[in-house]
Amino acid sequence: PFQFGWPIFRADAILGMLAGFFASMCESVGDYYACARLVEVRPPSERMVNVGIGMEGIGCLLAGIWGTGNGTTSYSENVGVLGVTRVGSRHVVQCGAILMVMMGILGKFGGVFATIPGPVVGGLWCAMFGMIAAVGLSSLQHVDLDSPRNLFVIGFALFMGLTLPVEIQAHPIKFEGAPTWSSILNVLLSTGMTVGLLCGAVLDNIIPGTDRER
């Protein structure tokens, strides 16, 4: 623990990390609901979501203490694996965790997986991310898609979530004399899920609509 020294707290670093954590939380909430749909169980309750986010926070705290250099959060690719394999048993996940620990400890063991050809890995990614996108779109079956209001909210949120991060990555925001705020905005606006969530949430609350439309 603390192999790189005791932690130093700076306002700019804290704000920057909070922006990253907010983007990660938005993605994690989506992962929770996607997992529930794939394994055909009831959607997670508010308490379940809170516990999940809290455990991710504890994991990030421990990662910082041990100096791993990265946080702990849900992984969308694992959601895709659930959709492809149709296996959602906790025991399988636990065995996978043990396997990953072994790969980290035994270099030769991990080298076997490193020999997997790139096209094979790319094909798996296409299948997994395609499944993630399909699960997300299937959630719209509970929405009134005959309403122009809802179509606008969905279309605008999807479009901004796909295009704005690309623009931000190509042309980052730069505020003279305020690099901290520039960093925060760049982190938030370069994450497609965060942009889509913010756009959808804001529009759904400010655009008038009936109870059925909402």
Side-chain angles (χ1 to χ4, degrees), residues 182-200:
S182 301
S183 176
I184 293 175
L185 289 177
N186 285 325
V187 170
L188 291 176
L189 299 181
S190 62
T191 306
M193 190 170 293
T194 302
V195 174
L197 173 65
L198 292 176
C199 291

Side-chain angles (χ1 to χ4, degrees), residues 11-188:
D12 56 344
I14 292 174
L15 291 176
M17 289 301 296
L18 285 177
F21 276 113
F22 179 78
S24 177
M25 285 189 294
C26 295
E27 182 178 359
S28 295
V29 172
D31 289 340
Y32 298 160
Y33 281 90
C35 284
R37 289 187 57 81
L38 286 173
V39 298
E40 298 179 354
V41 298
R42 62 186 178 87
S45 63
E46 181 178 348
R47 180 180 179 278
M48 293 178 181
V49 173
N50 291 338
V51 171
I53 297 298
M55 291 305 299
E56 290 187 14
I58 294 175
C60 290
L61 176 63
L62 295 177
I65 293 175
W66 288 327
T68 61
N70 61 282
T72 303
T73 183
S74 61
Y75 204 48
S76 298
E77 284 78 353
N78 291 337
V79 180
V81 171
L82 286 178
V84 173
T85 62
R86 309 301 298 175
V87 176
S89 172
R90 293 182 180 178
H91 299 296
V92 175
V93 177
Q94 292 165 356
C95 291
I98 295 173
L99 182 63
M100 293 178 67
V101 172
M102 293 177 60
M103 291 175 61
I105 296 176
L106 305 176
K108 297 296 183 181
F109 189 78
V112 175
F113 291 90
T115 60
I116 299 176
V120 176
V121 178
L124 291 173
W125 275 51
C126 290
M128 289 189 298
F129 281 106
M131 181 62 69
I132 295 171
V135 171
L137 292 175
S138 67
S139 302
L140 298 177
Q141 63 181 304
H142 306 293
V143 179
D144 181 12
L145 295 179
D146 293 328
S147 168
R149 171 193 179 277
N150 291 347
L151 291 177
F152 172 76
V153 173
I154 294 171
F156 188 87
L158 285 175
F159 181 78
M160 294 300 292
L162 292 172
T163 58
L164 185 58
V166 177
E167 179 66 19
I168 294 297
Q169 292 173 4
H171 304 92
I173 298 174
K174 296 180 180 179
F175 293 140
E176 294 295 336
T180 301
W181 293 108
S182 301
S183 176
I184 293 175
L185 289 177
N186 285 325
V187 170
L188 291 176

